[in-house]
């Protein structure tokens, strides 16, 4: 699909700024106010999920999801799967349910010809008429820089009638994204779209490598201004070599609980992705026999390291405690100071 100039017709240009000056600022304020008690006290125990279930929320309603990674690791593949699920054409992505939406907009700004080929693998088996009615594509650069005209992203979604937008990718919508002023401007655009009820999904890039050339695994390894990650609700990092069928997924920023890390398997011919490897903590506890499972051993397995950090150990300990609360594991506290708590399968312990 080529650019449709009419999409920008209803968007105000810089020359229209004088019109805004004639409006009273307070005319737009009442819709922004909510009672403080309702704002702070009427909060669900887990955030409503666009993608996820329970505490395992990968994409929360009203919060942007960033899929970050180098070129060729499957960001667009997973993003297209999420869009397909939002269209109600599949129930889940990576085994986690996706809440269906109504109409989606894809901003195919980064190598649109390649995006088109990738999308054929995802949408190729779907009905063309249905896709024409429920999916809209903008090909190439946006009509204005999204960081300079912070109203454009929301306006494009409104013009397309979309409740979901895929920004592919951030660097192509806002030029100079490493600059904090540009990053803040883009974040403003994203927040305006979210405020209009649009669910925002974004593809973005990483730095070439993490500390000392290692696999990037922190928010600081995401390319560009800190406002890119600071303004997002969830950040997922994909890592691997371009074209690799197996890549790593890490949940760097979470709306609720941390999901993964996982090894993902991309089936390039079909465009589908599945989880290839995940650590089963209940199975580890069972294999541990009379010794059970400690948080240290579990963290080493989950994060694939011989020396888990304190933070990694604490993250896994919380997962183990959730399994205790759900009745799947039992915990035996240490009898001697300095000894670790040990976890056992519930049935194995009561047998």
């Amino acid at each position: 699909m080529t650019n449709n100039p009419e999409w920008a017709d209803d968007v105000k240009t810089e020359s229209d700024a004088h019109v805004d000056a004639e409006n009273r600022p307070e005319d737009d304020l009442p819709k922004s106010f909510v009672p403080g008690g309702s704002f702070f006290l009427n909060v669900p125990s887990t955030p409503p999920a666009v993608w996820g279930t329970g505490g395992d929320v990968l994409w929360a309603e009203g919060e942007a999801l960033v899929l970050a990674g180098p070129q060729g690791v499957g960001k667009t593949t997973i993003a297209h799967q999420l869009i397909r699920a939002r269209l109600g054409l599949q129930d889940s992505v990576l085994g986690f349910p996706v809440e269906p939406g109504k109409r989606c907009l894809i901003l195919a700004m980064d190598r649109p010809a390649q995006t088109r080929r990738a999308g054929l693998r995802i949408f190729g088996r779907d009905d063309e008429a249905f896709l024409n009615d429920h999916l809209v594509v903008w090909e190439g650069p946006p009509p204005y820089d999204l960081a300079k005209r912070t109203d454009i992203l929301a306006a494009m979604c409104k013009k397309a009638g979309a409740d979901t937008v895929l920004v592919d990718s951030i660097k192509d919508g806002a030029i100079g994204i490493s600059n904090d002023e540009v990053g803040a401007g883009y974040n403003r655009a994203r927040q305006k779209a979210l405020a209009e009820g649009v669910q925002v999904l974004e593809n973005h890039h990483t730095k070439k490598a993490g500390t000392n050339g290692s696999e990037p695994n922190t928010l600081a390894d995401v390319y560009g201004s800190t406002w890119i990650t600071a303004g997002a609700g969830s950040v997922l990092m994909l890592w691997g070599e371009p074209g690799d069928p197996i890549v790593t997924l890490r949940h760097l920023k979470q709306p609720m609980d941390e999901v993964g890390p996982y090894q993902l398997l991309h089936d390039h011919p079909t465009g589908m992705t599945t989880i290839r490897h995940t650590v089963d903590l209940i199975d580890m506890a069972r294999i541990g026999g009379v010794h059970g499972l400690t948080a240290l051993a579990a963290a080493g397995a989950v994060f694939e390291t011989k020396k888990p950090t304190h933070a990694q150990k604490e993250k896994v300990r919380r997962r183990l405690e959730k399994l205790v609360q759900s009745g799947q594991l039992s915990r035996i506290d240490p009898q001697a100071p300095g000894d670790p708590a040990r976890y056992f399968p519930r049935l194995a312990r009561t047998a």
Side-chain angles (χ1 to χ4, degrees), residues 111-133:
R111 297 165 294 165
Q114 184 172 331
T115 297
R116 192 176 187 183
R117 293 193 298 272
L120 177 61
R121 295 194 293 268
I122 307 293
F123 301 105
R125 59 188 180 277
D126 297 320
D127 180 69
E128 183 176 356
F130 178 88
L131 292 177
N132 286 339
D133 287 340

Side-chain angles (χ1 to χ4, degrees), residues 108-265:
M109 301 179 290
D110 184 3
R111 297 165 294 165
Q114 184 172 331
T115 297
R116 192 176 187 183
R117 293 193 298 272
L120 177 61
R121 295 194 293 268
I122 307 293
F123 301 105
R125 59 188 180 277
D126 297 320
D127 180 69
E128 183 176 356
F130 178 88
L131 292 177
N132 286 339
D133 287 340
H134 296 86
L135 179 61
V136 180
V137 179
W138 177 277
E139 184 178 351
Y144 303 96
D145 188 294
L146 301 182
K148 294 179 180 179
R149 291 294 312 278
T150 60
D151 53 340
I152 292 297
L153 182 59
M156 293 181 75
C157 294
K158 182 178 180 180
K159 189 73 174 181
D163 62 359
T164 305
V165 62
L166 166 58
V167 179
D168 190 8
S169 65
I170 292 176
K171 68 175 178 58
D172 301 283
I175 305 303
I177 203 66
S178 61
N179 183 288
D180 274 346
E181 183 177 356
V182 176
Y186 176 78
N187 181 51
R188 180 76 168 176
R190 139 209 288 168
Q191 299 303 332
K192 286 186 176 183
L194 291 167
E196 294 298 324
V198 178
Q199 306 303 332
V200 179
L201 170 63
E202 301 161 333
N203 282 350
H204 192 42
H205 292 80
T206 59
K207 298 176 182 177
K208 291 184 178 180
T211 304
N212 298 323
S214 62
E215 175 183 334
N217 55 16
T218 69
L219 291 176
D221 295 320
V222 177
Y223 178 76
S225 166
T226 187
W227 292 109
I228 301 303
T229 56
S234 184
V235 179
L236 292 174
M237 173 79 78
L238 294 172
W239 183 252
E241 293 297 324
D244 273 359
I246 298 174
V247 298
T248 300
L249 180 145
R250 296 187 184 278
H251 202 180
L252 301 186
K253 185 177 182 181
Q254 312 86 28
M256 193 67 180
D257 297 335
E258 181 177 0
V259 178
Y262 296 132
Q263 287 184 358
L264 305 184
L265 175 62

Side-chain angles (χ1 to χ4, degrees), residues 26 63 300 326:
E26 62 269 24
E63 301 179 24
S326 67

Side-chain angles (χ1 to χ4, degrees), residues 15 33 36 57 81 122 185 192 198 214 236 263 287 318 329:
S15 62
F33 291 112
V57 180
Q81 291 174 42
I122 307 293
K192 286 186 176 183
V198 178
S214 62
L236 292 174
Q263 287 184 358
I287 294 172
R318 288 200 296 264
L329 289 180

